[in-house]
Amino acid sequence: MNTTTHSKDKTPAAQDCIDLKLGLCRSDASLSQHRPEVVPLGKHAKGTEHQRDDKIAHHLYHDAKAQDKNHGISEEIVQAAHAQAKVFFHQSAEEKEKIARSKSKYFNGWHLRRGVASKSMNSKDNIEQFTYCYNPNYGPEVDSPFNYYPGLPEDSITATSLEDVGLGAHTDIQSFTILWQDMIGGLQVLMADGSWVKAPPIPGTFVVNIGDYLMRLSNDRFKSTFHRVFMRTTSDRYSMPFFIGFNCNEEFSVLPSYTSEDMPAKYEPTSCGEGGNSSDHVYGHGYEVYEVKEDTNSDPLGCSVHSRPEVASNPKREKKRTCRDNGNTATMKTFSDLTNIPRKKIND
Ligand SMILES: O=C(O)CCC(=O)C(=O)O
Ligand SMILES: [Fe+2]
């Protein structure tokens, strides 16, 4: 595998996309050509429903993410939430610890992520989250973190170290994510050719990110997207994703309209609590998964924890997932438990 890290190139653009062992970093010019398109939704959308579906599918599949404007959410509300996030995260750790996620029945609350991923996507998380649930008792399962990426000390900005990435590569587990990011930048998306491209902040828009469940529902027509946050700045960064999924106990299957004789359902019916495992799509995309050296998920997993492709050193290990709505514990199996198909590697 190519292990280029562009260590001599000190331009900000190059640093922003220092490739982590993929060696496929694009030049800045190339990055801007590939930025995800802004797709107007709602009443501003043009064409028939089917044409819009195709257009969105095209962008989500080929450009990995779409950015949505004309969404009707006022800037005032977004800015108020952003301001609250700043106030919250700037409290002392002691204060935040009072509402730590580990103390919450529904695994909501403050949480530090310091996971280290190895192999093809070497990275280290450097993020604080405050996770909340829209309504823990009723569905659809909608929940979110506020994400806070503390600005880095000056001397680590130029470092080509693989550490302190921000948020390591992952897909979101739910159906789709509506993501607001501030203007700092750093969000990147993995393209089908294995290169990372920037998804730069555009004022007034949200990034819409396809999650694993929609991929299953649509029989892979909509592919969930690997993305990461690559932070190389002294400024703090904030983001607010809103994950939209299903009730934990509801079974969901591939929608019949996405199957045919030639294209039978690729996925068995499953539920969030049981089978929303993060690894099917890894095979689907043909990317190598990475190992988690330090288990970031020592807390019991809630239903909407990120679907970090975490086939760890012991691929047979089972993960406990706890449904928010009834406290039942279900077992999440890894990809390796479900199939003997070997995982594909990037650049195969
Ligand atoms: O901070 C961002 O822009 C992305 C956050 C993200 O991917 C997530 O919370 O799942
Ligand atoms: Fe995400």
Side-chain angles (χ1 to χ4, degrees):
M1 183 170 293
N2 189 338
T3 54
T4 311
T5 53
H6 306 269
S7 56
K8 292 206 179 96
D9 193 341
K10 299 279 187 208
T11 63
Q15 281 178 13
D16 196 20
C17 62
I18 289 168
D19 191 70
L20 304 181
K21 293 203 174 174
L22 293 174
L24 286 166
C25 187
R26 292 174 189 273
S27 69
D28 201 37
S30 162
L31 276 172
S32 55
Q33 278 164 21
H34 285 83
R35 68 174 48 176
E37 185 174 321
V38 176
V39 182
L41 298 177
K43 64 183 177 178
H44 298 274
K46 292 206 176 88
T48 64
E49 205 172 299
H50 195 74
Q51 284 165 338
R52 286 201 299 271
D53 191 34
D54 274 351
K55 187 168 184 192
I56 290 169
H58 174 88
H59 287 298
L60 294 169
Y61 183 78
H62 295 284
D63 302 337
K65 290 193 178 205
Q67 288 185 293
D68 174 18
K69 60 182 184 181
N70 306 315
H71 40 68
I73 300 170
S74 80
E75 192 55 22
E76 223 178 0
I77 289 179
V78 174
Q79 290 310 329
H82 185 198
Q84 283 305 315
K86 285 185 184 171
V87 169
F88 174 78
F89 287 114
H90 278 91
Q91 296 176 108
S92 66
E94 200 182 13
E95 241 355 83
K96 290 182 276 193
E97 189 60 43
K98 289 180 185 163
I99 49 163
R101 199 175 77 172
S102 53
K103 295 180 183 153
S104 154
K105 184 175 169 199
Y106 297 114
F107 314 117
N108 290 320
W110 182 64
H111 170 64
L112 272 174
R113 277 178 93 113
R114 292 287 182 272
V116 180
S118 65
K119 280 203 160 175
S120 62
M121 294 174 188
N122 254 333
S123 66
K124 184 177 172 190
D125 294 337
N126 180 26
I127 180 173
E128 286 184 36
Q129 295 184 309
F130 177 81
T131 320
Y132 66 97
C133 203
Y134 190 67
N135 187 330
N137 293 312
Y138 306 105
E141 177 88 8
V142 178
D143 78 330
S144 306
F146 284 91
N147 291 333
Y148 167 53
Y149 304 83
L152 298 174
E154 193 87 49
D155 54 353
S156 52
I157 304 282
T158 48
T160 51
S161 149
L162 300 179
E163 295 197 339
D164 295 326
V165 158
L167 183 57
H170 66 282
T171 60
D172 295 340
I173 197 169
Q174 299 282 18
S175 296
F176 63 96
T177 306
I178 300 173
L179 169 71
W180 177 88
Q181 55 173 327
D182 68 13
M183 295 307 289
I184 299 297
L187 180 63
Q188 298 184 350
V189 176
L190 189 63
M191 307 297 278
D193 65 3
S195 59
W196 288 99
V197 299
K198 292 179 186 175
I202 302 174
T205 69
F206 294 99
V207 172
V208 179
N209 184 17
I210 292 296
D212 296 350
Y213 295 163
L214 189 49
M215 180 160 150
R216 290 182 83 112
L217 280 176
S218 70
N219 215 16
D220 285 357
R221 171 131 187 237
F222 298 95
K223 301 245 184 193
S224 60
T225 318
F226 274 97
H227 51 285
R228 71 182 181 192
V229 175
F230 198 76
M231 271 278 287
R232 278 293 181 273
T233 164
T234 51
S235 312
D236 294 343
R237 179 178 186 275
Y238 296 84
S239 71
M240 297 184 280
F242 204 62
F243 303 116
I244 294 151
F246 300 104
N247 282 357
C248 206
N249 294 332
E250 293 298 328
E251 190 175 85
F252 63 96
S253 319
V254 172
L255 294 170
S257 53
Y258 288 99
T259 61
S260 64
E261 254 177 45
D262 303 336
M263 183 73 81
K266 297 181 184 173
Y267 302 101
E268 294 294 319
T270 190
S271 70
C272 167
E274 193 182 356
N277 96 58
S278 57
S279 305
D280 289 347
H281 69 273
V282 173
Y283 178 72
H285 280 197
Y287 296 126
E288 184 180 33
V289 294
Y290 57 78
E291 289 178 4
V292 177
K293 279 189 198 154
E294 184 187 286
D295 192 355
T296 44
N297 296 312
S298 47
D299 296 340
L301 295 181
C303 275
S304 6
V305 164
H306 296 273
S307 65
R308 184 173 288 283
E310 49 200 1
V311 178
S313 37
N314 173 9
K316 293 277 179 215
R317 85 182 170 159
E318 290 184 331
K319 293 181 176 304
K320 294 284 180 196
R321 296 169 62 84
T322 302
C323 295
R324 282 203 168 83
D325 48 357
N326 64 2
N328 282 346
T329 310
T331 300
M332 184 172 115
K333 292 196 166 73
T334 64
F335 173 74
S336 308
D337 294 326
L338 296 171
T339 172
N340 291 322
I341 302 169
R343 282 174 274 132
K344 286 190 178 176
K345 293 199 163 112
I346 295 174
N347 298 343
D348 258 351

